[in-house]
Amino acid sequence: MSSDAVVLSALLAAALDGDRQALARLISAAERGATLPPLTPPTDRAEHQLCIGFTGAPGAGKSTLVSALTGHLIAEAGAAAVLAVDPSSPFSRGALLGDRVRMHEHAMDPRVFIRSMATRSETGGLARATQVARRILQACGWGLVLLETVGVGQVELDVVYTADLVVVVLNPGWGDEIQANKAGLMEIADIFVINKADREGLESTRRDIDAVIINRPEHQRPAVVETVASEGKGVKELAKAISLARESLCASGELHRRRQRQFATELEQELLRRFKVSMTQLRQEESYGELVEALASGADTLDGAASRLQKIVLGKIALR
Amino acid sequence: MSEPTTNATTGATTSATGKRVLMAKTGLDGHWRGPTIVATALRDAGFEVIMIGMARAEEVVQAAIDEDVDLVGLNVGGHVDVAVRAVEQIQSSCDGVPIFAGGVVPPHAKRKLEALGVEVYPPGSQLPEIVEAARRLTGII
Amino acid sequence: MQTPPEDRKWTSASGIPLKSFYLPDDVPEGHRRVLGAAPGEPPFHRGAYATGYRTKPWRIFQLSGFGKPEDENERIKFLLEQGETGFLMEHDRNTADHLYNVDHPEVLARREDVGLTGAVMQSVRDIDICLRDLPIDSTYGHAGGAVVQHAPYALAGYWTVARRRGYDLSRLPGTGQSDYFLTYLGCVTKQQVPTDAGLRLNADIIEFCDQYLPRWVPVSIAGYNGADSGLNAPQELGALFANAVEYLEEIKRRGTMPLAKAARGCGGVSFRMSMDVFEEASKLRAARLMWTQLLAERYDITDPKVSNLRIHCVTAGSRMQYQQPFNNIVRGTLMGLAAALGGVQSLGVSGYDEALSIPSEHAHQMSVRIQQILQEETNIASVTDPLGGSYYIETLTAQLIERAWAFFDEIQAQGGFLACLDSGWLHQQAAENQHQEFMAQADGSQRIIGVTDHTDDVSPFEVDGFMGVDDAFDVALERLEAVRRERHEKGAADAMRALEQACRGDANIMGPMMDALEAEVTLGEIGDIYRQVWGDWSTPIQT
Ligand SMILES: Nc1nc2c(ncn2[C@@H]2O[C@H](COP(=O)(O)OP(=O)(O)O)[C@@H](O)[C@H]2O)c(=O)[nH]1
Ligand SMILES: [Mg+2]
């Protein structure tokens, strides 16, 4: 074993033993792309081994809702982990991660583990890092994972490939967004939450959602739950809806299919990542320049140059 | 922007990418002016800044552990002993995580915190100076 | 690093481009119409009163307070002896802003902080001690309650003490504050009632004063706290009036009192005075004109007694530097001068040790002396609106008004002032300005003496922070226990129940609040009721 692998195994052993610091460090290593020892995956039957994704526009109240729901769920599940993802700045790659402020009531609860994550890289990167973090958590006894992601751009769609079940958080007065089916959000929902139900426009938003989901077969029609997260209202109902949705996904085999797909996605993404790393290395090398030159001078076709490049890259990946 | 080279296990790196800083306020008297500006500057320098707002010593410690941060920034004010208590708890529970502090820190308080190994940036400190400190304390430079 | 003069962009602090001199034609057409108005006449930009400081010198009004109620009482007496002409109470911010008693876990964790930013006042007994021997029937007092959720308690406490002393509430002078800028923008507390609940509290206070305390200024919108968090001059103006509109709309919706009286109640405001002397002086002129416009155009109120805005100013705390603190005496003087030139009814000058701690006795004395020197030695009190008619000042006044209304409109377009606090938009505007300012300091385009330049401090005097007293927490805890032990428990419980009911319904809460104070219900118990009923407002965080 390499020395890195030794360190990671030791961390995993400690994390499995309940050491939070080791768990936290393991997640950091995963975020940086470290290769982890095998992890025990969740089982479909276990009710409290579930990754619930929450997505919606900034300010919709996701963090507040996740916090309130966590308070509710730990009573039964015994423990819950929260992964709160916010975007990195595309310019500096830095990030301001503020979700913990909303989850303050759990700050000192040993049954709750909260981790803030930045999206860091472009599409796909988030899914990989959160997926690994989720796997680490679940393997280390944190079966219930609540994953908050910001519903902006491509990122929120990745959540489908990470979470077992998706809750889309909307607010009253968002009719236009719903009708425009913003970024496909409406299609990925297993449950809709209309949070800030204390605000005006609740009825029309409900109607807009109904109009969108009416076309789906009844057994696949998402539940719509109204909440006032800041006052804890509707949270019990949401927990109930989640439980029902999980049961139905499990019974239909869809939960199993989704988890298979999660692994497949993870696998493909890992391969793509390796490919990218090799490409980055390759760009520095002479042979790459020669290939480009051959293409530019007309000595080789795109197809021919690409085939040769493919061979070199695959060779590099194999060498790792 | 230069490509960072990172060791996946240890996190050793040449840029701030992936370096994590926890920002907390020890007091209840709430001017947020300083910490927000510093947080933004750190973000712009490539750090991931985790904000937890007003927090007690044990809450800072818990967040620092769970978030696996490389640096803790404390906004202090009021009585220096409140900050001292937070510093001592962080130092005893999060081995080796460096701490820097800003806020209303009169000279006697500054001396007391510095004696504990905390770098102190009183009002009037310039942002580049603070960012530089974060880079140094997280081992980037 | 210094920018050569030819490259430098000459602008006001808020970014209004400046010419090197001004001519009559520079004054915008529309503004020329009002140039002939005298002070004390609408649209009042030249001053609220014709005779200005000759008949009404501005009130010397310093924020003060620390330690135990008796420590604060002593400091207030000291300031009054020094020539202060009104007084401000400050309640300990750790407990008061959050409505926590000292035995709340959040306070226990920071017990040493208790009493550092105001005196601890957990029941009417403490407020009584703080006001001991003070002539509250005749002196203009500020009861504290700067933070919205704290105001009903602070006011009811002050009024209960006054009533117990046999004073007629209908003749009691003074002011409340309950300021949105402080509460939701400047000094966001850990726990705070949501903005709409706060609006209800403030409207209740306005109604209650209308009925029982006609000489009391019920609320005081403090643009100061917006500005010291980053809003520039026109933004401070625009946001302040957007805030006033929320109050007026709420009163209008209720229909329980004449709108003009509510407008009068909202017409005592405070602004920040910063270092751009002419822009700040112009800002005050702009403010008075805008208020007249707003009331006339939006609410058809033209009674000059209502539409002359009364202004309190505080010099910018954030301009007081940590380095070379004695320089701050000069800064305080200049900012005070700007206020005096623009026309104010009252003024507070920040202590020279502001960046280090709450003011020491000496710093406080200097703040008073600065104002006395301005009033007595400079002769600026002789002539009202001495800057009036200056091409530059009139142009700047008109430009500020134009930009301020644009900002006001932007706020309205987003659903109004409360919506902009809830969404974090105002925070973002403030943060952007501050960020730019920091960048300007870093790149040398903004220079601060002793901080960015001339940093060698050879002063023989070290100024250290004032640390108040040691026993504030212990005494507060003892007194809290004494209140719990000695009060009529059933009376207190009934009063709490009645207060909770009032909070849940829509009756005015100030009556039940007075009863609660009378029954010695404590600060933290009132906070618990609020938290039960309304939950928390949480800061919008920008990422
Ligand atoms: N009125 C109201 N405000 C809410 C509700 N839920 C959350 N908020 C507020 O909305 C703001 C944004 O909430 P947050 O949880 O940070 O949203 P996120 O960006 O989606 O995570 C905060 O100020 C919350 O207090 C609700 O149900 N009603
Ligand atoms: Mg969030």
Side-chain angles (χ1 to χ4, degrees):
Chain A
M1 265 203 290
S2 73
S3 66
D4 284 0
V6 173
V7 173
L8 289 171
S9 301
L11 281 179
L12 181 59
L16 284 168
D17 224 30
D19 180 342
R20 285 175 88 113
Q21 188 157 29
L23 176 64
R25 288 189 177 158
L26 209 53
I27 294 177
S28 302
E31 272 192 292
R32 291 189 293 260
T35 315
L36 295 172
L39 300 166
T40 321
T43 49
D44 296 346
R45 292 260 139 240
E47 192 186 337
H48 300 306
Q49 292 187 355
L50 190 69
C51 176
I52 313 166
F54 294 81
T55 191
K62 298 178 295 296
S63 300
T64 314
L65 186 68
V66 164
S67 182
L69 188 66
T70 300
H72 192 82
L73 294 178
I74 45 175
E76 265 196 36
V82 177
L83 290 174
V85 184
D86 279 313
S88 299
S89 151
F91 307 108
S92 72
R93 296 165 172 243
L96 285 185
L97 310 174
D99 297 311
R100 270 192 106 89
V101 176
R102 301 274 182 265
M103 306 182 185
H104 178 260
E105 64 175 300
H106 307 299
M108 288 311 296
D109 191 336
R111 298 169 299 170
V112 180
F113 183 95
I114 303 169
R115 177 68 176 227
S116 314
M117 296 178 84
T119 50
R120 292 203 182 173
S121 53
E122 67 290 9
T123 320
L126 161 74
R128 182 183 184 284
T130 48
Q131 187 62 278
V132 182
R134 171 249 172 129
R135 295 216 182 289
I136 293 171
L137 286 165
Q138 290 190 321
C140 293
W142 300 86
L144 186 61
V145 178
L146 284 73
L147 167 64
E148 175 190 341
T149 66
V150 182
V152 177
Q154 186 57 43
V155 168
E156 81 274 18
L157 296 178
D158 288 346
V159 84
V160 214
Y161 303 111
T162 311
D164 300 325
L165 192 156
V166 177
V167 179
V168 169
V169 185
L170 303 167
N171 291 164
W174 285 8
D176 295 347
E177 279 86 346
I178 295 168
Q179 268 144 23
N181 191 5
K182 214 177 176 187
L185 262 187
M186 303 302 289
E187 265 140 46
I188 62 173
D190 295 298
I191 294 170
F192 284 105
V193 166
I194 311 178
N195 185 43
K196 307 199 184 182
D198 52 332
R199 299 259 167 101
E200 271 163 49
L202 179 65
E203 280 314 308
S204 69
T205 302
R206 215 187 154 107
R207 272 198 304 277
D208 290 334
I209 295 175
D210 286 343
V212 171
I213 61 179
I214 196 78
N215 303 321
R216 299 206 211 159
E218 201 165 338
H219 65 282
Q220 284 178 11
R221 210 168 286 161
V224 182
V225 184
E226 290 162 15
T227 60
V228 183
S230 48
E231 294 167 27
K233 285 190 190 137
V235 171
K236 210 168 94 191
E237 290 74 10
L238 176 58
K240 181 88 192 139
I242 289 171
S243 171
L244 286 175
R246 197 207 70 86
E247 266 170 40
S248 118
L249 287 173
C250 186
S252 66
E254 172 66 10
L255 184 63
H256 186 74
R257 281 192 293 280
R258 285 186 185 183
R259 284 182 175 168
Q260 294 296 109
R261 196 175 63 201
Q262 289 162 11
F263 283 112
T265 309
E266 226 180 324
L267 191 59
E268 283 164 29
Q269 261 159 4
E270 175 57 20
L271 193 68
L272 286 176
R273 192 185 68 83
R274 290 181 186 192
F275 198 85
K276 259 194 183 158
V277 170
S278 304
M279 279 298 297
T280 311
Q281 290 171 354
L282 199 64
R283 277 194 208 109
Q284 325 288 336
E285 292 175 18
E286 239 174 75
S287 56
Y288 183 77
E290 285 165 13
L291 280 171
V292 174
E293 189 46 47
L295 192 59
S297 67
D300 203 347
T301 61
L302 183 60
D303 181 54
S307 300
R308 281 197 283 155
L309 185 60
Q310 186 182 332
K311 265 199 202 114
I312 302 173
V313 172
L314 289 178
K316 272 192 183 298
I317 292 177
L319 277 178
R320 277 166 44 98
Chain B
M1 192 167 49
S2 63
E3 267 306 303
T5 50
T6 312
N7 177 305
T9 306
T10 61
T13 176
T14 53
S15 95
T17 305
K19 289 288 180 187
R20 295 161 65 83
V21 185
L22 183 75
M23 297 274 289
K25 205 176 141 51
T26 56
L28 280 181
D29 176 17
H31 281 281
W32 263 105
R33 202 164 47 223
T36 343
I37 291 175
V38 170
T40 311
L42 291 176
R43 194 245 345 244
D44 293 344
F47 289 91
E48 289 176 7
V49 186
I50 297 134
M51 323 252 277
I52 60 169
M54 296 171 190
R56 289 180 251 159
E58 61 269 28
E59 291 168 345
V60 181
V61 167
Q62 192 63 64
I65 291 175
D66 290 0
E67 298 287 355
D68 189 28
V69 295
D70 305 287
L71 173 64
V72 174
L74 295 179
N75 179 264
V76 307
H79 203 291
V80 65
D81 286 355
V82 177
V84 165
R85 206 157 46 231
V87 167
E88 285 173 348
Q89 282 199 34
I90 297 165
Q91 287 176 339
S92 73
S93 313
C94 314
D95 49 3
V97 176
I99 304 171
F100 68 171
V104 180
V105 200
H108 71 269
K110 188 165 181 279
R111 284 191 290 271
K112 211 161 171 175
L113 291 169
E114 282 170 345
L116 292 169
V118 176
E119 289 197 13
V120 180
Y121 294 86
S125 305
Q126 298 295 301
L127 283 179
E129 199 187 340
I130 296 172
V131 169
E132 179 82 2
R135 290 170 60 82
R136 183 165 32 74
L137 290 167
T138 55
I140 300 165
I141 43 169
Chain C
M1 222 189 339
Q2 205 183 342
T3 324
E6 63 276 15
D7 291 350
R8 192 171 148 185
K9 277 205 270 171
W10 298 88
T11 66
S12 74
S14 75
I16 297 176
L18 297 179
K19 305 172 67 163
S20 61
F21 59 86
Y22 285 74
L23 292 170
D25 281 353
D26 289 315
V27 180
E29 195 74 48
H31 189 68
R32 283 181 216 162
R33 284 184 293 113
V34 301
L35 290 180
E41 276 176 16
F44 292 113
H45 60 297
R46 304 206 52 206
Y49 307 104
T51 47
Y53 306 134
R54 289 186 181 195
T55 48
K56 291 185 177 177
W58 70 79
R59 177 179 301 119
I60 299 177
F61 210 40
Q62 295 292 141
L63 190 62
S64 56
F66 63 91
K68 307 182 292 300
E70 47 270 51
D71 299 317
E72 177 153 328
N73 176 263
E74 217 171 282
R75 181 64 75 86
I76 290 173
K77 284 180 185 157
F78 169 78
L79 284 167
L80 288 171
E81 273 161 29
Q82 296 300 307
E84 194 186 39
T85 45
F87 69 89
L88 270 116
M89 284 168 78
E90 179 146 44
H91 296 237
D92 168 60
R93 307 204 46 188
N94 294 275
T95 45
D97 288 7
H98 300 84
L99 304 180
Y100 293 152
N101 284 337
V102 287
D103 59 357
H104 189 285
E106 291 290 349
V107 180
L108 286 176
R110 304 165 173 93
R111 63 182 70 200
E112 299 90 341
D113 282 350
V114 169
L116 272 184
T117 48
V120 192
M121 290 183 258
Q122 302 171 97
S123 79
V124 70
R125 294 187 191 185
D126 295 331
I127 298 172
D128 186 57
I129 297 172
C130 185
L131 293 173
R132 194 170 285 164
D133 307 324
L134 295 176
I136 57 173
D137 56 328
S138 56
T139 311
Y140 190 83
H142 182 309
V147 159
V148 171
Q149 68 177 1
H150 182 237
Y153 168 87
L155 292 170
Y158 192 101
W159 298 338
T160 301
V161 169
R163 195 168 60 184
R164 285 182 177 178
R165 288 183 193 172
Y167 299 134
D168 178 3
L169 289 190
S170 72
R171 306 198 46 76
L172 197 69
T175 181
Q177 186 168 348
S178 21
D179 172 47
Y180 266 76
F181 287 97
L182 178 72
T183 307
Y184 299 105
L185 182 68
C187 283
V188 178
T189 48
K190 197 172 179 77
Q191 295 197 294
Q192 188 65 229
V193 297
T195 51
D196 49 353
L199 182 61
R200 182 255 172 111
L201 296 182
N202 277 2
D204 284 356
I205 294 170
I206 294 171
E207 271 178 12
F208 192 82
C209 286
D210 177 48
Q211 249 186 314
Y212 302 106
L213 292 107
R215 295 185 60 197
W216 192 273
V217 179
V219 295
S220 174
I221 307 177
Y224 175 93
N225 294 303
D228 228 34
S229 311
L231 297 184
N232 64 31
Q235 290 172 338
E236 180 185 7
L237 287 164
L240 183 138
F241 293 117
N243 185 348
V245 163
E246 295 275 11
Y247 297 162
L248 293 176
E249 293 294 326
E250 172 65 13
I251 294 292
K252 193 165 131 188
R253 193 189 61 72
R254 294 186 178 194
T256 45
M257 63 184 280
L259 201 57
K261 289 173 88 182
R264 173 83 189 155
C266 299
V269 299
S270 85
F271 285 101
R272 176 179 86 145
M273 280 295 104
S274 192
M275 289 298 287
D276 185 335
V277 173
F278 294 117
E279 183 170 67
E280 295 296 76
S282 303
K283 179 172 79 185
L284 302 183
R285 307 174 84 247
R288 283 186 295 264
L289 195 150
M290 289 177 73
W291 183 236
T292 312
Q293 277 182 337
L294 179 79
L295 292 185
E297 289 166 21
R298 206 175 165 112
Y299 300 107
D300 207 18
I301 295 171
T302 51
D303 178 355
K305 282 209 184 68
V306 177
S307 59
N308 67 341
L309 189 71
R310 290 139 297 135
I311 297 176
H312 171 60
C313 275
V314 183
T315 64
S318 63
R319 286 292 169 273
M320 294 302 193
Q321 307 299 334
Y322 181 90
Q323 290 75 8
Q324 305 181 18
F326 286 121
N327 292 348
N328 293 330
I329 297 176
V330 182
R331 295 191 178 100
T333 308
L334 290 171
M335 296 190 275
L337 177 66
L341 292 173
V344 284
Q345 276 58 57
S346 66
L347 176 63
V349 171
S350 346
Y352 63 76
D353 52 5
E354 167 96 16
L356 297 150
S357 64
I358 53 165
S360 64
E361 194 169 272
H362 183 249
H364 247 150
Q365 189 181 42
M366 287 311 303
S367 296
V368 175
R369 292 288 177 265
I370 287 171
Q371 301 198 47
Q372 289 164 331
I373 291 168
L374 285 172
Q375 285 184 336
E376 304 300 336
E377 297 186 27
T378 65
N379 209 17
I380 49 176
S382 311
V383 176
T384 308
D385 191 27
L387 301 179
S390 147
Y391 308 132
Y392 171 37
I393 294 298
E394 297 296 354
T395 304
L396 202 51
T397 302
Q399 286 173 325
L400 283 169
I401 292 171
E402 191 190 327
R403 288 178 180 227
W405 282 134
F407 193 70
F408 175 93
D409 290 341
E410 245 184 294
I411 293 173
Q412 298 307 323
Q414 294 178 73
F417 182 70
L418 261 56
C420 288
L421 287 174
D422 288 338
S423 71
W425 185 79
L426 270 176
H427 304 73
Q428 219 172 315
Q429 305 303 309
E432 265 162 37
N433 290 343
Q434 287 185 323
H435 188 71
Q436 269 171 22
E437 196 170 298
F438 266 82
M439 298 321 277
Q441 284 175 30
D443 73 16
S445 52
Q446 184 183 16
R447 311 178 80 198
I448 298 174
I449 303 308
V451 179
T452 64
D453 290 83
H454 311 292
T455 50
D456 49 327
D457 192 352
V458 288
S459 163
F461 310 105
E462 182 181 274
V463 177
D464 211 340
F466 174 69
M467 289 316 290
V469 296
D470 288 336
D471 58 348
F473 174 84
D474 293 334
V475 172
L477 193 59
E478 275 167 33
R479 286 187 182 157
L480 178 65
E481 279 159 7
V483 170
R484 286 186 183 137
R485 210 169 42 235
E486 294 159 12
R487 73 180 175 189
H488 183 264
E489 205 43 51
K490 171 148 189 327
D494 288 347
M496 278 189 263
R497 208 164 315 115
L499 180 62
E500 180 175 345
Q501 244 160 31
C503 290
R504 291 198 191 276
D506 4 276
N508 193 303
I509 73 150
M510 289 311 292
M513 185 64 76
M514 294 284 285
D515 295 342
L517 269 284
E518 185 63 54
E520 303 197 305
V521 173
T522 63
L523 177 72
E525 290 166 318
I526 291 168
D528 289 340
I529 294 174
Y530 283 5
R531 288 183 275 274
Q532 281 271 319
V533 176
W534 288 308
D536 270 350
W537 183 81
S538 39
T539 342
I541 300 157
Q542 312 104 50
T543 49

